Amino acid sequence: MPIVSLQNISKSFGKTPIINNISLNFSKGKFICLLGSSGSGKTTILRLMAGLEKLDDGKIYLNGKLVNEKGRILIASSQREIGFIFQDLALWPHLTVYENIAFGLKIKKAEKAKISAKISEILDFFCIEGHQNKYPNQLSGGQQQLVAIARSLVLNPQILLMDEPLANLDVKLKSKIRNQIKNLTKDFSITIIYVTHDHHEAFKLADEIVIINDGKIVEIGAPEEIHKSENTFVKEFIEI
Ligand SMILES: Nc1ncnc2c1ncn2[C@@H]1O[C@H](COP(=O)(O)OP(=O)(O)OP(=O)(O)O)[C@@H](O)[C@H]1O
Ligand SMILES: [Mg+2]
């Protein structure tokens, strides 16, 4: 059974159709990249999966459970066992790095010792131990991005939705973090759905690439299949 199943989903904002009858199935532990240009509907697809938007039509199943159907959110965002790293990160400005990462665990009423052990492990994994007492505005954009990823991972999500998470990083850090993110599917056995408009990034990371244009799927396949695609749009897009 796929861990994520989008079945004929559609979404408009006002009268403008944004997502047009998309169906996708993803297997557990896979790294999926949604690749498309600005405005193609990538963030909207993630927001629908996260339960932050209602569908106009279709169904979404996560882990075998129906979570959204036409006009209805059946399972709330907080109950979906997903992590979501937004384009704008959304760290709590009044909480330190440690408190930001601990926040979700505290809500889940985890024991203090457990919280502390988990946070040490994740700070170590991302090499951000030295920053745990700082506030987000005392960190670089790249460090903030790592904290946002750590904050999601610490909750052991089954599915991690990442919306352009490396956008603020310099080339060297980007390459290092990209490798760490790539390994998350193995180290934490989670399914990652990763949005990017950078095809180089998609080719480096993905087991499967979904190319989206104007709210429709243009092509799906492993990176080597996408490279060989005969579709004119795909050929132009990946040669940019
Ligand atoms: N809440 C909203 N109300 C109205 N229009 C919206 C809303 N959210 C998104 N849109 C429109 O839907 C389209 C798709 O937006 P979306 O954010 O999904 O694109 P994207 O592929 O993530 O783009 P980017 O790469 O720039 O982040 C855009 O034209 C956008 O203006
Ligand atoms: Mg977006």
Side-chain angles (χ1 to χ4, degrees):
M1 192 201 299
I3 188 156
V4 175
S5 181
L6 311 181
Q7 302 186 356
N8 303 103
I9 65 164
S10 294
K11 173 77 184 169
S12 300
F13 287 115
K15 287 192 176 140
T16 316
I18 302 296
I19 304 299
N20 295 300
N21 196 22
I22 282 187
S23 293
L24 287 167
N25 288 306
F26 302 134
S27 308
K28 188 173 164 62
K30 292 283 179 208
F31 200 119
I32 318 292
C33 280
L34 303 185
L35 176 64
S37 48
S38 194
S40 56
K42 307 178 297 295
T43 296
T44 305
I45 296 174
L46 291 195
R47 287 179 57 79
L48 286 162
M49 279 192 254
L52 301 172
E53 299 285 353
K54 287 181 183 163
L55 286 170
D56 295 342
D57 220 334
K59 289 181 176 164
I60 298 180
Y61 291 84
L62 298 181
N63 224 349
K65 288 184 209 143
L66 180 62
V67 295
N68 290 41
E69 66 179 357
K70 187 175 175 173
R72 296 208 306 155
I73 289 182
L74 300 157
I75 296 187
S77 202
S78 58
Q79 306 299 316
R80 290 189 179 196
E81 295 182 57
I82 52 172
F84 194 161
I85 296 150
F86 293 93
Q87 253 170 318
D88 65 358
L89 303 181
L91 293 175
W92 302 103
H94 60 294
L95 299 182
T96 63
V97 165
Y98 186 97
E99 290 161 344
N100 260 284
I101 301 174
F103 188 82
L105 289 170
K106 281 190 183 153
I107 287 195
K108 284 189 159 181
K109 302 208 186 320
E111 286 167 37
K112 237 181 172 174
K114 240 186 191 165
I115 294 182
S116 155
K118 278 204 121 177
I119 295 181
S120 301
E121 187 192 350
I122 208 93
L123 289 171
D124 189 43
F125 184 81
F126 285 113
C127 307
I128 44 175
E129 311 90 315
H131 301 295
Q132 59 177 306
N133 295 321
K134 290 187 180 170
Y135 290 89
N137 68 3
Q138 298 171 313
L139 300 174
S140 71
Q143 290 159 346
Q144 289 181 39
Q145 239 146 348
L146 293 181
V147 174
I149 298 171
R151 187 178 60 169
S152 284
L153 274 183
V154 85
L155 296 172
N156 291 336
Q158 297 251 351
I159 302 163
L160 190 55
L161 308 177
M162 303 179 105
D163 201 349
E164 313 241 12
L166 305 184
N168 296 333
L169 305 184
D170 66 47
V171 176
K172 207 168 145 204
L173 193 56
K174 202 179 248 193
S175 157
K176 184 176 160 208
I177 304 306
R178 199 186 274 135
N179 290 334
Q180 281 167 307
I181 292 179
K182 173 84 185 146
N183 288 334
L184 294 177
T185 49
K186 294 179 202 83
D187 294 347
F188 295 82
S189 72
I190 56 182
T191 309
I192 297 187
I193 303 179
Y194 185 105
V195 158
T196 180
H197 57 259
D198 177 349
H199 61 282
H200 297 294
E201 192 157 282
F203 283 119
K204 286 197 180 107
L205 286 169
D207 295 313
E208 199 174 351
I209 297 176
V210 181
I211 299 190
I212 297 168
N213 187 37
D214 268 346
K216 295 189 203 78
I217 298 170
V218 182
E219 190 93 277
I220 309 177
E224 53 278 18
E225 291 168 324
I226 299 288
H227 262 306
K228 286 189 237 148
S229 172
E230 288 300 319
N231 182 294
T232 320
F233 178 86
V234 174
K235 281 167 110 170
E236 276 176 19
F237 191 77
I238 65 178
E239 274 165 17
I240 291 168

